[in-house]
Structure formats: structure tokens, C-alpha cells
Amino acid sequence: MTAPDPSTPDTAADAPRPAPHTPEPPGARHGAPPADTPPPGAPGPDGVRAPSAAPGNGLPRTSPGDPAPRTAPGAATRTAAPAATPAALWRRGRGFLICLGILLVAAVTLAALASGSRHGRLDPRSADPDGSRAVAELLQARGVTTRVVTTAREAAAAAGPDTTLLVTNPDLLGESQLRAIRSAIDLSGGRTVLLAPGSPSLPDLAPAARTKGTALDQDLDPGCALPAAVSAGRAGTGGEHRYTTDGATGTACYPSGGHPTLLVLPTGTTGGDTVLLGSETILLNRKLASEGNASLALQLLGSRPDLVWYLPSLADAQDEDPAQEQSFLDLLPHGWSWAFLQLFVAAALAALWRARRLGPLVTEKLPVAIRASETTEGRARLYRKAGARDRAATVLRAAARERLAALVGVPPAQAHDPAALLPAVSGRLTERQQDLTALLFGTTPATDAALVALADHLDALEREVRTS
């Protein structure tokens, strides 16, 4: 191949006219020469001899002083990506980081604005549909003072003969909390209302009662002589637990299928009682105005001047075992753990999507026709820049084996089989001057000079077979 002379300037008169674009011939992506490429060794229309290596796949003989080839825009070639700098990484990711920062600021702002009005389910300070602020305000209008506590110790200390102790989530209490509430039930002499207690808490708080399935109907009739139930009438005590007793004296109201959803049991202290309310519906803001819910809630919670509203909290859970330290992950709700896992999977998928090309290269239509010599030289320089001697040697040998197989009559399917190709090639040689096995199926050259020598030997071998 004749190397271009860098001392000869390019002129408009000498530059070849760009040929009109033609569709890419079949096999062009796999190293097959274009239809208009002259045979190896013959001069092309521009006066430059085409290289004997396969255009687009072979490696021409180049020297370090050769000028860089001109590569047409739009050529589908794989280039070595430059090392990413911190500035380039910032330019790529700043849009995502800015959006993430805006979302975080908005989330913190909304949480701060809503923190004063949203407290949670069954919280007497919450005006949400599942809060209980409406009940607390009605009780306040009747002269009942509501005090919110978050630990069992505070609840037991505040209980007394003139108080009503409301336990919102009895089944969430640990052993120490259950003992404290049970002590308040036995010694206070006041009323204790257990909201939807189940099997985990009933043996400790109300041993005489146990659950008896679920009440399917939501609104039920009183079905008893309890003054509060008779005055309220039909109320929404169903939908959750039903209860039964083992012969203990008590008042059973709002039955569903023969088992009450409201059970009033006397305690050991004179004047005290324990109310088992099977559903929390009558205390919710969204259900307070339905049926007789408001009347029943006010009479159950307003029978004494003070109401202690016990909401179990994280601080209460820590009192269960003060010596045991909890980690940050233990304090996170279970939903947050799943959310973090989903975010991690999404980030991993995004990193995989951005870090690796999925699928083959897409061939683009070139605006101008590119000389086969320029394409070959450009790919060779890319191989040299990446130090891919193994890939270059593999391509050179594979292309040489395919051309030699066509010259000696070996089927294309057996072109890369040494047992089929080497005897046929040896039979066409007049003198055996080198080891064909090492030449056509050898190892990777150790240096660039050895790679250039390999290309020379393959060219010489092909010329000898072609002219024999």
C-alpha cells in the first residue's frame, strides 16, 4: 500500500469528488469488501493500490510517522472512550442532582408545614379523616380534659378514680407496658377503655375475656340495657373483633352473631370498670357523625372529668429493654426498608443502562463515499491507540484464512479448521519457508513490530497462493 505523502498539500483539484451514497452491501459490517473495491494488489480509481487485508477488518502496514487518516462524519466505528474527568462527570450528572435537590427541599418543606396539623391515626390532635380531634373537641365542650401520653409509665401514673384511660393499640404493647396498664386497671378505680384488643393483649389486660372471630356487619344495634348504648342506639362497633367471657359478670352490647362487640367488665376496685370496644370506628373523624357513634364515644370517654389518651410510641418501646441499644435501621419503619431496596435496584439498573451499550452498533448512512484504504487505515490506528494487538491479529488471520479458503477451494464453513485449510494451502506453495500453523493459527504478537511482520507474512502468503 502506498502511504500518502504528508509534504504534498491537498488541493481542491486533486481531491476526489464525493460519490453519491449507495446502500451498504450485505456483509459490509462483517468485514466483506464493498462491491466497488478493486481486488487486492490492483490499482483503484484514485491510483492507490488497495490493501491485501480485508477492508474494514484487516490491519494495513503502517509506521509511526504516517499521517492520521481522515474519517468521514457518521462512520459507524467503535472508538476508545476517553477517561472521564470530574468536570465531565459534573456536566453529565448536574441535571439529575439539581432535580434531586429540589425534590428533597420540597419534601422537607411540606413535612415541616404539615407537622403541626398531622399527628397520626386516632390522635386527638389530628384533623385527618383517621384522626380523633372531633371527639376531643366535643369532650372539651362537655368539660372533659384530654391529656395525651406516649408511654405506659405516664399512663399508669395519670390513672385514678376520676380518670378514663384510653389505650388505642393494646396489641402493640410489650410485657412491661402490659404490666403497667394492668396495674392501673386494678388499682386506679377509674375506667379503662381498650380499643380493639386482640388475642396478644387480652390475657394480660382482661383475662376473663377472649376474642370470638370477626363481626362482619359494621353498624349494629345495642341489644343490651347499658345506658350509654341505649342512649346512643345503632352504632358502628362492628367490622373487627367480637368477644366472649368465661362466665364472668359483665354487660355485653352490640352483638353480632350472638357475640358482643362492646363488653363492660367490672374491676377489683370499687367503681372501676374495663370497656372492651371491638372497633375503633366510632372515634374516627370521618365516622363520628354516622349513626350514634358520637353519642356512644362521648358517653364511654366522658363519664369522668379527666381523659388520659395513651398513644404507644418509639420511646415507649425503648422502655421495654433499656439496656438494649437500637441501631438506626431498627428505628426505621418496615416500609422505608422496602423503599430503600427499590431505590437501590433502580439505581443499579440505571447504572447498568448508562454504563454499557445494549445491542449491536447501528449502521448509519454515510453522507459521502469513503475510500476502502482510508477506512482500513483509520481502524488500524484505532487498534494501535487501544493497544489491541490480540484483536488486530485475530482479525488479520481470520480474514486471511477466509480469502485463502476461497482460493484453494475449501468450503467457507471449514475455513477456520486447521485440518482442512493447512493441507490445501501447503499444496499450492512451491516452497515451504515457514510454519503455516503458527502463521494462520498462532498466538498474539508481543510487540507492534511483530504485528506488522505478521501482516507482511500473511500478504506474502496470499500473493504466493494467488499466483501459484
Side-chain angles (χ1 to χ4, degrees), residues 323-347:
Q324 181 180 2
E325 295 184 359
Q326 292 182 318
S327 64
F328 174 75
L329 295 179
D330 295 334
L331 299 178
L332 290 177
H334 295 290
W336 282 96
S337 301
W338 285 108
F340 284 140
L341 178 61
Q342 293 177 6
L343 289 176
F344 175 77
V345 173

Side-chain angles (χ1 to χ4, degrees), residues 216-221 234-239 254 281 290-291 293:
L216 300 180
D217 297 329
Q218 182 74 34
D219 298 327
L220 301 173
D221 295 321
R234 189 176 180 84
T237 60
Y254 295 98
T281 304
S290 300
E291 301 291 347
N293 294 345

Side-chain angles (χ1 to χ4, degrees), residues 37 41 109 127 129 204 328 334 383 409 432 457:
T37 303
T109 303
D204 293 299
F328 174 75
H334 295 290
Y383 282 150
R432 184 174 182 181
H457 294 324

Side-chain angles (χ1 to χ4, degrees), residues 223-267:
C224 67
L226 184 69
V230 174
S231 176
R234 189 176 180 84
T237 60
E240 295 187 43
H241 297 298
R242 298 183 303 170
Y243 301 102
T244 184
T245 61
D246 53 0
T249 58
T251 305
C253 299
Y254 295 98
S256 174
H259 297 282
T261 58
L262 175 64
L263 187 61
V264 182
L265 300 174
T267 61

Side-chain angles (χ1 to χ4, degrees), residues 418-443:
L421 181 63
L422 293 179
V425 173
S426 299
R428 299 286 294 271
L429 299 178
T430 57
E431 296 181 1
R432 184 174 182 181
Q433 301 178 354
Q434 54 186 341
D435 185 6
L436 293 181
T437 303
L439 180 60
L440 294 175
F441 299 93
T443 59

